[in-house]
Amino acid sequence: MTTVPASPSVSARQIPESMDALALLGPDDFEVREVGVPQAGAGVVLCRVHSVAVCGTDTEIISGHFLERGWPRGYPFTPGHEWSGEIVALGDGAAGFGFAVGDRVAGTAHCGCGYCRMCAIGRYTLCENYGHEERGHRHYGHYSTGALRQFHNTSIKSVFPIPDSMTLEQGALVDASSIALHAVKRGKVVPGDTVAIIGSGAQGLLAAQCARLMGAAQVIVVGRGARLETAAELGAEVVDNTKVDGPQAVRDLTGGKGAHMTVDTAARGSSPADAVEMTRKGGRVALIGVPLEGCELPLSRIVLEEMDLFGVRANPGTCAEVIPLIAAGELDVDTVTTHAFPLRDFARAYETFTKRIDGALKVLVQPNVG
Ligand SMILES: [Zn+2]
Ligand SMILES: [Zn+2]
Protein backbone atom coordinates (compact mmCIF):
# COMPACT_ATOMS: atom_id res chain seq x y z
CA MET A 1 0.00 0.00 0.00
CA THR A 2 1.21 3.52 -0.78
CA THR A 3 1.41 5.59 2.38
CA VAL A 4 1.63 9.32 2.72
CA PRO A 5 2.86 11.13 5.82
CA ALA A 6 0.07 12.51 7.99
CA SER A 7 0.15 16.15 9.02
CA PRO A 8 0.34 16.80 12.76
CA SER A 9 -2.71 16.43 14.96
CA VAL A 10 -4.87 19.47 15.59
CA SER A 11 -6.20 20.32 19.03
CA ALA A 12 -9.74 21.61 19.54
CA ARG A 13 -8.40 25.17 19.59
CA GLN A 14 -6.92 24.71 16.13
CA ILE A 15 -10.09 23.85 14.24
CA PRO A 16 -9.96 26.04 11.14
CA GLU A 17 -12.92 27.93 9.73
CA SER A 18 -12.70 26.40 6.28
CA MET A 19 -11.63 23.05 4.88
CA ASP A 20 -11.42 20.95 1.74
CA ALA A 21 -14.41 18.77 0.85
CA LEU A 22 -15.30 16.62 -2.12
CA ALA A 23 -18.33 18.14 -3.83
CA LEU A 24 -20.42 16.14 -6.30
CA LEU A 25 -21.87 18.63 -8.78
CA GLY A 26 -23.85 16.13 -10.86
CA PRO A 27 -23.50 12.57 -12.17
CA ASP A 28 -19.79 11.80 -12.67
CA ASP A 29 -18.96 15.45 -12.01
CA PHE A 30 -17.00 16.35 -8.88
CA GLU A 31 -14.36 18.69 -7.53
CA VAL A 32 -12.51 19.35 -4.29
CA ARG A 33 -13.65 22.75 -3.00
CA GLU A 34 -13.27 24.91 0.08
CA VAL A 35 -16.27 24.92 2.42
CA GLY A 36 -16.96 25.95 6.02
CA VAL A 37 -16.13 23.58 8.87
CA PRO A 38 -19.38 22.33 10.48
CA GLN A 39 -20.23 22.67 14.17
CA ALA A 40 -20.80 19.78 16.56
CA GLY A 41 -24.47 20.06 17.55
CA ALA A 42 -26.27 18.14 20.29
CA GLY A 43 -25.40 14.45 20.32
CA VAL A 44 -22.79 15.04 17.65
CA VAL A 45 -18.98 14.90 17.54
CA LEU A 46 -16.76 16.79 15.11
CA CYS A 47 -13.98 14.57 13.81
CA ARG A 48 -10.80 15.26 11.92
CA VAL A 49 -11.08 12.65 9.17
CA HIS A 50 -8.06 10.39 8.66
CA SER A 51 -9.08 7.85 6.01
CA VAL A 52 -12.20 7.20 3.95
CA ALA A 53 -12.51 3.89 2.10
CA VAL A 54 -14.15 4.10 -1.32
CA CYS A 55 -16.98 1.58 -1.64
CA GLY A 56 -18.99 0.17 -4.53
CA THR A 57 -22.03 2.13 -3.35
CA ASP A 58 -19.99 5.35 -3.65
CA THR A 59 -19.40 4.67 -7.32
CA GLU A 60 -23.14 4.23 -7.92
CA ILE A 61 -23.88 7.43 -5.96
CA ILE A 62 -21.17 9.37 -7.85
CA SER A 63 -22.39 8.12 -11.23
CA GLY A 64 -26.00 9.11 -10.42
CA HIS A 65 -27.41 5.55 -10.49
CA PHE A 66 -29.12 6.00 -7.13
CA LEU A 67 -30.67 9.42 -7.72
CA GLU A 68 -34.21 8.01 -7.72
CA ARG A 69 -33.44 6.45 -4.34
CA GLY A 70 -32.55 9.94 -3.11
CA TRP A 71 -28.79 9.30 -2.88
CA PRO A 72 -28.08 12.18 -3.06
CA ARG A 73 -31.17 14.38 -2.85
CA GLY A 74 -29.41 17.25 -4.60
CA TYR A 75 -26.10 18.83 -5.51
CA PRO A 76 -23.56 19.79 -4.36
CA PHE A 77 -23.20 16.70 -2.17
CA THR A 78 -20.31 15.18 -0.22
CA PRO A 79 -20.27 11.34 -0.18
CA GLY A 80 -18.12 8.99 1.94
CA HIS A 81 -19.34 6.65 4.68
CA GLU A 82 -16.54 4.18 5.55
CA TRP A 83 -14.10 6.27 7.51
CA SER A 84 -11.90 6.83 10.55
CA GLY A 85 -10.70 9.89 12.40
CA GLU A 86 -10.08 11.66 15.64
CA ILE A 87 -12.65 13.59 17.70
CA VAL A 88 -11.75 17.30 17.88
CA ALA A 89 -14.94 18.77 19.38
CA LEU A 90 -17.90 17.47 21.38
CA GLY A 91 -21.48 18.61 20.96
CA ASP A 92 -23.83 18.81 23.95
CA GLY A 93 -24.37 15.46 25.58
CA ALA A 94 -21.51 13.59 23.87
CA ALA A 95 -19.23 13.65 26.94
CA GLY A 96 -21.94 11.98 29.02
CA PHE A 97 -21.77 8.97 26.72
CA GLY A 98 -18.01 8.70 27.29
CA PHE A 99 -16.68 10.52 24.24
CA ALA A 100 -13.65 12.77 24.64
CA VAL A 101 -11.58 15.04 22.42
CA GLY A 102 -8.68 12.98 21.06
CA ASP A 103 -10.64 9.71 20.85
CA ARG A 104 -9.85 7.73 17.71
CA VAL A 105 -13.01 6.44 16.08
CA ALA A 106 -14.30 4.36 13.19
CA GLY A 107 -17.35 5.85 11.48
CA THR A 108 -20.27 4.34 9.66
CA ALA A 109 -23.21 5.34 7.48
CA HIS A 110 -26.43 4.63 9.38
CA CYS A 111 -27.85 6.57 12.30
CA GLY A 112 -31.31 5.41 13.36
CA CYS A 113 -33.85 7.71 15.00
CA GLY A 114 -33.43 5.64 18.17
CA TYR A 115 -37.16 5.69 18.86
CA CYS A 116 -39.07 3.60 16.30
CA ARG A 117 -39.85 -0.09 16.67
CA MET A 118 -36.98 -1.15 14.38
CA CYS A 119 -34.46 0.99 16.27
CA ALA A 120 -35.81 -0.33 19.59
CA ILE A 121 -35.12 -3.94 18.58
CA GLY A 122 -31.65 -3.08 17.31
CA ARG A 123 -32.44 -3.14 13.58
CA TYR A 124 -31.66 0.54 13.14
CA THR A 125 -30.53 0.17 9.52
CA LEU A 126 -34.26 -0.40 8.85
CA CYS A 127 -35.31 2.71 10.83
CA GLU A 128 -38.97 3.58 10.18
CA ASN A 129 -38.02 7.26 10.17
CA TYR A 130 -35.52 6.79 7.33
CA GLY A 131 -34.89 10.06 5.55
CA HIS A 132 -36.25 12.28 8.32
CA GLU A 133 -33.31 14.29 9.61
CA GLU A 134 -35.75 16.32 11.73
CA ARG A 135 -36.49 13.08 13.64
CA GLY A 136 -32.82 12.32 14.18
CA HIS A 137 -32.25 9.94 11.28
CA ARG A 138 -29.10 10.19 9.17
CA HIS A 139 -27.61 8.13 6.37
CA TYR A 140 -24.18 9.65 6.02
CA GLY A 141 -22.70 9.75 2.55
CA HIS A 142 -26.03 8.66 1.01
CA TYR A 143 -28.50 11.49 1.65
CA SER A 144 -26.77 13.08 4.68
CA THR A 145 -23.41 14.83 4.20
CA GLY A 146 -20.60 12.27 4.18
CA ALA A 147 -16.99 12.05 5.33
CA LEU A 148 -14.97 12.93 2.21
CA ARG A 149 -13.91 16.21 3.82
CA GLN A 150 -11.31 17.28 6.34
CA PHE A 151 -13.78 17.52 9.23
CA HIS A 152 -16.97 15.46 9.57
CA ASN A 153 -19.76 16.11 12.07
CA THR A 154 -21.55 12.90 12.93
CA SER A 155 -23.99 11.54 15.49
CA ILE A 156 -22.37 9.68 18.36
CA LYS A 157 -24.58 6.74 17.25
CA SER A 158 -22.43 6.42 14.11
CA VAL A 159 -18.91 6.39 15.60
CA PHE A 160 -17.14 3.62 17.49
CA PRO A 161 -13.95 4.08 19.53
CA ILE A 162 -11.00 2.03 18.33
CA PRO A 163 -8.07 0.90 20.50
CA ASP A 164 -4.55 2.32 20.18
CA SER A 165 -3.43 -1.05 18.80
CA MET A 166 -5.47 -0.40 15.64
CA THR A 167 -4.32 1.98 12.93
CA LEU A 168 -6.68 4.61 11.53
CA GLU A 169 -6.22 2.96 8.13
CA GLN A 170 -7.68 -0.21 9.67
CA GLY A 171 -10.41 1.92 11.26
CA ALA A 172 -11.64 2.91 7.81
CA LEU A 173 -12.32 -0.78 7.07
CA VAL A 174 -14.58 -1.26 10.11
CA ASP A 175 -17.76 -0.38 8.19
CA ALA A 176 -17.15 -2.81 5.33
CA SER A 177 -15.97 -5.56 7.70
CA SER A 178 -19.04 -5.16 9.88
CA ILE A 179 -21.35 -5.66 6.89
CA ALA A 180 -19.54 -8.90 6.08
CA LEU A 181 -19.96 -10.06 9.68
CA HIS A 182 -23.66 -9.14 9.72
CA ALA A 183 -24.17 -11.21 6.54
CA VAL A 184 -22.74 -14.42 7.98
CA LYS A 185 -24.42 -13.88 11.35
CA ARG A 186 -27.76 -13.39 9.61
CA GLY A 187 -26.94 -16.58 7.67
CA LYS A 188 -26.56 -18.46 10.98
CA VAL A 189 -23.24 -20.04 10.02
CA VAL A 190 -22.34 -22.81 12.47
CA PRO A 191 -19.03 -24.68 12.98
CA GLY A 192 -18.33 -27.12 10.18
CA ASP A 193 -20.41 -25.33 7.54
CA THR A 194 -19.36 -24.76 3.95
CA VAL A 195 -19.84 -21.13 2.93
CA ALA A 196 -19.60 -19.96 -0.68
CA ILE A 197 -18.97 -16.31 -1.50
CA ILE A 198 -19.69 -14.77 -4.90
CA GLY A 199 -17.35 -11.87 -5.61
CA SER A 200 -13.62 -11.64 -4.95
CA GLY A 201 -13.57 -7.89 -4.20
CA ALA A 202 -12.96 -6.49 -0.74
CA GLN A 203 -16.48 -7.32 0.49
CA GLY A 204 -16.11 -10.93 -0.67
CA LEU A 205 -12.68 -11.30 0.94
CA LEU A 206 -14.00 -9.87 4.21
CA ALA A 207 -17.09 -12.13 4.10
CA ALA A 208 -14.83 -15.15 3.52
CA GLN A 209 -12.85 -14.29 6.65
CA CYS A 210 -15.99 -13.64 8.72
CA ALA A 211 -17.43 -17.00 7.64
CA ARG A 212 -14.25 -18.68 8.91
CA LEU A 213 -14.48 -16.74 12.19
CA MET A 214 -18.04 -18.06 12.65
CA GLY A 215 -16.64 -21.59 12.36
CA ALA A 216 -17.06 -22.49 8.69
CA ALA A 217 -14.78 -25.41 7.84
CA GLN A 218 -14.77 -24.75 4.10
CA VAL A 219 -14.95 -21.34 2.44
CA ILE A 220 -15.15 -21.07 -1.34
CA VAL A 221 -14.70 -17.73 -3.11
CA VAL A 222 -16.17 -17.56 -6.62
CA GLY A 223 -14.76 -14.66 -8.62
CA ARG A 224 -12.21 -13.67 -11.18
CA GLY A 225 -8.72 -12.35 -11.76
CA ALA A 226 -5.73 -11.79 -9.51
CA ARG A 227 -8.08 -11.14 -6.60
CA LEU A 228 -8.59 -14.89 -6.35
CA GLU A 229 -4.92 -15.25 -5.40
CA THR A 230 -5.60 -12.97 -2.44
CA ALA A 231 -8.64 -15.09 -1.52
CA ALA A 232 -6.42 -18.19 -1.61
CA GLU A 233 -3.79 -16.46 0.55
CA LEU A 234 -6.55 -15.77 3.07
CA GLY A 235 -7.30 -19.50 3.22
CA ALA A 236 -10.26 -19.87 0.87
CA GLU A 237 -10.71 -22.36 -1.94
CA VAL A 238 -11.23 -20.45 -5.16
CA VAL A 239 -13.31 -20.81 -8.32
CA ASP A 240 -12.66 -18.67 -11.40
CA ASN A 241 -16.10 -18.24 -12.92
CA THR A 242 -14.67 -16.87 -16.15
CA LYS A 243 -13.24 -20.36 -16.76
CA VAL A 244 -15.78 -22.71 -15.18
CA ASP A 245 -19.46 -22.65 -14.23
CA GLY A 246 -19.52 -21.25 -10.68
CA PRO A 247 -22.48 -23.21 -9.24
CA GLN A 248 -21.28 -26.49 -10.76
CA ALA A 249 -17.75 -25.92 -9.42
CA VAL A 250 -19.09 -25.31 -5.90
CA ARG A 251 -21.15 -28.49 -6.14
CA ASP A 252 -18.06 -30.39 -7.30
CA LEU A 253 -16.14 -29.11 -4.26
CA THR A 254 -18.92 -30.18 -1.87
CA GLY A 255 -19.64 -33.74 -2.88
CA GLY A 256 -22.42 -32.61 -5.20
CA LYS A 257 -24.44 -30.93 -2.42
CA GLY A 258 -23.59 -27.25 -2.57
CA ALA A 259 -22.81 -24.79 0.25
CA HIS A 260 -24.75 -24.54 3.50
CA MET A 261 -24.74 -20.80 3.03
CA THR A 262 -23.89 -18.52 0.12
CA VAL A 263 -23.19 -14.80 0.22
CA ASP A 264 -23.62 -12.82 -3.00
CA THR A 265 -21.47 -9.70 -2.83
CA ALA A 266 -21.54 -9.10 -6.60
CA ALA A 267 -25.23 -8.23 -7.17
CA ARG A 268 -24.68 -8.17 -10.91
CA GLY A 269 -26.36 -10.09 -13.73
CA SER A 270 -27.21 -13.64 -12.72
CA SER A 271 -25.19 -13.63 -9.48
CA PRO A 272 -28.23 -13.85 -7.12
CA ALA A 273 -29.56 -16.83 -9.13
CA ASP A 274 -26.08 -18.39 -9.16
CA ALA A 275 -26.01 -18.01 -5.38
CA VAL A 276 -29.20 -20.07 -5.10
CA GLU A 277 -27.86 -22.67 -7.54
CA MET A 278 -24.67 -23.26 -5.53
CA THR A 279 -26.53 -23.66 -2.21
CA ARG A 280 -27.66 -27.03 -0.84
CA LYS A 281 -31.12 -28.15 0.29
CA GLY A 282 -32.29 -26.21 3.32
CA GLY A 283 -29.46 -23.71 2.81
CA ARG A 284 -29.29 -19.95 3.25
CA VAL A 285 -28.53 -17.25 0.70
CA ALA A 286 -27.52 -13.72 1.70
CA LEU A 287 -27.63 -10.85 -0.78
CA ILE A 288 -25.26 -8.02 0.21
CA GLY A 289 -24.92 -5.74 -2.82
CA VAL A 290 -27.68 -3.40 -3.94
CA PRO A 291 -28.67 -4.63 -7.43
CA LEU A 292 -29.29 -2.03 -10.10
CA GLU A 293 -31.74 -4.25 -11.94
CA GLY A 294 -34.04 -7.23 -11.39
CA CYS A 295 -32.98 -10.83 -11.89
CA GLU A 296 -34.83 -14.09 -12.46
CA LEU A 297 -34.55 -16.51 -9.53
CA PRO A 298 -35.10 -20.30 -9.51
CA LEU A 299 -38.21 -19.98 -7.34
CA SER A 300 -39.31 -23.60 -7.52
CA ARG A 301 -35.95 -24.68 -6.12
CA ILE A 302 -36.19 -22.10 -3.37
CA VAL A 303 -39.63 -23.47 -2.42
CA LEU A 304 -39.03 -27.20 -2.86
CA GLU A 305 -35.61 -27.12 -1.15
CA GLU A 306 -36.77 -24.83 1.67
CA MET A 307 -34.09 -22.24 1.13
CA ASP A 308 -33.84 -19.07 3.14
CA LEU A 309 -33.09 -16.06 0.96
CA PHE A 310 -32.52 -12.72 2.62
CA GLY A 311 -31.19 -9.22 2.13
CA VAL A 312 -28.40 -7.75 4.20
CA ARG A 313 -28.58 -4.05 4.90
CA ALA A 314 -25.39 -2.64 6.36
CA ASN A 315 -24.22 -3.45 9.83
CA PRO A 316 -26.65 -3.21 12.76
CA GLY A 317 -24.56 -3.71 15.89
CA THR A 318 -21.58 -5.30 14.20
CA CYS A 319 -19.14 -2.35 14.05
CA ALA A 320 -18.40 -2.83 17.76
CA GLU A 321 -17.96 -6.56 17.12
CA VAL A 322 -15.41 -6.38 14.31
CA ILE A 323 -13.18 -3.82 16.06
CA PRO A 324 -11.69 -6.32 18.57
CA LEU A 325 -11.35 -8.92 15.77
CA ILE A 326 -9.37 -6.49 13.63
CA ALA A 327 -7.31 -5.32 16.63
CA ALA A 328 -6.47 -8.94 17.50
CA GLY A 329 -5.38 -9.71 13.94
CA GLU A 330 -8.19 -12.26 13.53
CA LEU A 331 -9.73 -10.27 10.70
CA ASP A 332 -7.09 -9.16 8.19
CA VAL A 333 -8.11 -5.83 6.68
CA ASP A 334 -4.55 -4.83 5.68
CA THR A 335 -4.47 -7.36 2.85
CA VAL A 336 -7.62 -5.89 1.30
CA THR A 337 -6.41 -2.27 1.64
CA THR A 338 -4.21 -1.65 -1.38
CA HIS A 339 -3.97 2.11 -2.01
CA ALA A 340 -4.15 5.52 -0.32
CA PHE A 341 -4.43 8.97 -1.92
CA PRO A 342 -4.82 12.50 -0.58
CA LEU A 343 -8.29 14.04 -1.08
CA ARG A 344 -6.82 16.44 -3.66
CA ASP A 345 -6.13 13.35 -5.80
CA PHE A 346 -9.68 12.02 -5.48
CA ALA A 347 -10.03 11.62 -9.24
CA ARG A 348 -6.99 9.33 -9.28
CA ALA A 349 -8.27 7.40 -6.25
CA TYR A 350 -11.66 6.97 -7.92
CA GLU A 351 -10.14 5.78 -11.18
CA THR A 352 -7.85 3.36 -9.35
CA PHE A 353 -10.87 1.89 -7.53
CA THR A 354 -13.31 1.72 -10.43
CA LYS A 355 -10.81 0.42 -13.00
CA ARG A 356 -9.13 -1.89 -10.48
CA ILE A 357 -5.77 -0.41 -11.43
CA ASP A 358 -2.70 -2.11 -9.97
CA GLY A 359 -4.78 -4.80 -8.22
CA ALA A 360 -6.87 -2.26 -6.33
CA LEU A 361 -9.20 -3.60 -3.65
CA LYS A 362 -10.01 -1.04 -0.95
CA VAL A 363 -8.73 2.43 -1.82
CA LEU A 364 -8.36 4.99 0.97
CA VAL A 365 -8.77 8.74 0.56
CA GLN A 366 -7.03 10.86 3.21
CA PRO A 367 -8.35 14.43 3.46
CA ASN A 368 -5.73 15.69 5.91
CA VAL A 369 -2.56 14.60 4.12
CA GLY A 370 -0.76 15.98 1.12
ZN1 LIG B 1 -19.96 1.17 1.82
ZN1 LIG C 1 -35.80 4.47 14.02
Side-chain angles (χ1 to χ4, degrees):
M1 194 182 91
T2 327
T3 49
V4 252
S7 41
S9 219
V10 287
S11 77
R13 289 182 308 281
Q14 295 171 308
I15 300 168
E17 282 179 10
S18 66
M19 63 174 179
D20 289 342
L22 185 75
L24 298 187
L25 307 173
D28 286 321
D29 184 14
F30 52 78
E31 66 178 22
V32 176
R33 56 163 66 166
E34 197 172 319
V35 300
V37 172
Q39 303 277 317
V44 165
V45 286
L46 182 67
C47 299
R48 180 176 184 266
V49 177
H50 184 279
S51 293
V52 186
V54 181
C55 139
T57 303
D58 292 322
T59 68
E60 306 298 353
I61 290 171
I62 289 169
S63 55
H65 290 156
F66 284 147
L67 280 172
E68 62 190 38
R69 202 179 290 279
W71 303 345
R73 288 174 170 173
Y75 299 106
F77 179 74
T78 297
H81 60 272
E82 303 179 2
W83 64 279
S84 65
E86 181 190 340
I87 294 177
V88 294
L90 302 171
D92 284 349
F97 285 93
F99 290 94
V101 168
D103 282 357
R104 300 156 78 248
V105 292
T108 188
H110 282 269
C111 167
C113 75
Y115 171 79
C116 75
R117 180 69 182 248
M118 281 302 170
C119 283
I121 62 171
R123 302 185 75 179
Y124 56 86
T125 61
L126 309 179
C127 176
E128 290 167 358
N129 288 306
Y130 187 94
H132 289 279
E133 290 202 331
E134 78 283 6
R135 298 179 202 163
H137 185 272
R138 301 284 187 279
H139 196 191
Y140 296 108
H142 292 67
Y143 81 85
S144 310
T145 307
L148 277 163
R149 48 184 179 160
Q150 288 184 290
F151 294 88
H152 181 45
N153 55 335
T154 178
S155 168
I156 57 172
K157 289 183 256 179
S158 307
V159 285
F160 301 85
I162 61 173
D164 290 342
S165 57
M166 246 174 92
T167 66
L168 285 161
E169 284 83 357
Q170 292 171 328
L173 267 289
V174 164
D175 181 279
S177 304
S178 61
I179 295 171
L181 182 61
H182 177 49
V184 292
K185 283 181 72 182
R186 199 155 143 64
K188 298 186 171 61
V189 174
V190 295
D193 271 0
T194 292
V195 176
I197 315 281
I198 300 184
S200 45
Q203 197 59 254
L205 299 175
L206 293 168
Q209 294 186 66
C210 288
R212 186 75 79 184
L213 287 167
M214 293 287 288
Q218 184 183 28
V219 177
I220 305 167
V221 172
V222 181
R224 59 167 75 181
R227 296 166 162 211
L228 287 177
E229 288 164 31
T230 310
E233 281 165 27
L234 291 168
E237 291 172 57
V238 296
V239 169
D240 185 339
N241 62 4
T242 63
K243 298 194 173 120
V244 296
D245 178 66
Q248 186 56 49
V250 170
R251 289 186 176 278
D252 291 345
L253 289 168
T254 53
K257 290 182 173 169
H260 294 92
M261 187 210 173
T262 301
V263 183
D264 176 27
T265 69
R268 288 290 178 277
S270 66
S271 71
D274 290 348
V276 173
E277 296 292 0
M278 66 180 68
T279 304
R280 71 175 64 190
K281 289 181 176 178
R284 295 91 65 194
V285 177
L287 307 173
I288 288 194
V290 185
L292 291 174
E293 57 207 24
C295 149
E296 224 165 272
L297 289 171
L299 291 176
S300 58
R301 263 202 77 194
I302 293 169
V303 173
L304 295 173
E305 300 190 0
E306 286 205 343
M307 288 189 173
D308 294 336
L309 187 69
F310 47 84
V312 171
R313 181 159 200 182
N315 45 7
T318 47
C319 284
E321 294 170 354
V322 291
I323 287 169
L325 291 170
I326 296 170
E330 297 285 325
L331 183 52
D332 175 0
V333 298
D334 298 338
T335 300
V336 301
T337 308
T338 52
H339 294 75
F341 296 94
L343 180 64
R344 285 272 162 206
D345 288 342
F346 183 79
R348 206 151 62 89
Y350 188 60
E351 189 184 20
T352 301
F353 179 78
T354 53
K355 295 186 178 165
R356 303 179 181 182
I357 293 169
D358 189 23
L361 288 163
K362 274 295 188 190
V363 173
L364 302 183
V365 177
Q366 301 180 314
N368 284 291
V369 300

